[in-house]
Amino acid sequence: MLISNAYAEGAAPAAGGGIMDFLPLIALLAVFYFLVLRPQQKRAKDQKAMLEALSKGDEVLTTGGIMGRVTKIGETYTSIEIAENVVIQVQKETIQSVLPKGTIRSAN
């Protein structure tokens, strides 16, 4: 015959690895937590603290790139004056950052 038969050489090794089999999975989950989840939770916490500290007269920047001065703060909406006598309402969550005082004047 041209093709010979293949026979198993012996019994397979015992599956007694235990925790060592799951060590790569545990390491991957730990890396995922420290590189993705933890920084994301920290950013969300910082954003929430910034929105709670928001007060009338603060100069802010929205996620859409609109700069303005806060004139009124509501529960979910905030009024922002973007030009003299021009006030818009935006959702509070769209405020990206609070700018240093005088930023709007220097930007014009």
Side-chain angles (χ1 to χ4, degrees):
M1 304 222 70
L2 296 174
I3 300 174
S4 61
N5 292 334
Y7 298 104
E9 285 196 20
I19 191 122
M20 294 303 287
D21 291 339
F22 292 106
L23 195 59
L25 181 62
I26 292 169
L28 183 66
L29 290 175
V31 168
F32 181 74
Y33 174 76
F34 284 108
L35 292 180
V36 178
L37 293 178
R38 193 164 177 224
Q40 183 180 5
Q41 290 171 345
K42 186 178 184 304
R43 277 193 305 272
K45 182 180 175 184
D46 292 343
Q47 177 77 3
K48 184 178 178 184
M50 186 261 309
L51 290 178
E52 288 175 356
L54 197 62
S55 63
K56 185 177 177 182
D58 284 345
E59 295 178 1
V60 296
L61 178 68
T62 67
T63 55
I66 300 172
M67 288 179 18
R69 185 171 288 108
V70 175
T71 58
K72 185 174 138 185
I73 300 172
E75 192 68 30
T76 56
Y77 292 96
T78 301
S79 297
I80 298 176
E81 183 179 24
I82 57 173
E84 193 172 321
N85 297 325
V86 179
V87 178
I88 61 170
Q89 281 192 335
V90 297
Q91 285 185 333
K92 208 172 186 180
E93 291 79 25
T94 62
I95 295 175
Q96 181 177 354
S97 61
V98 176
L99 302 171
K101 299 284 185 192
T103 303
I104 293 176
R105 243 182 247 145
S106 65
N108 292 333

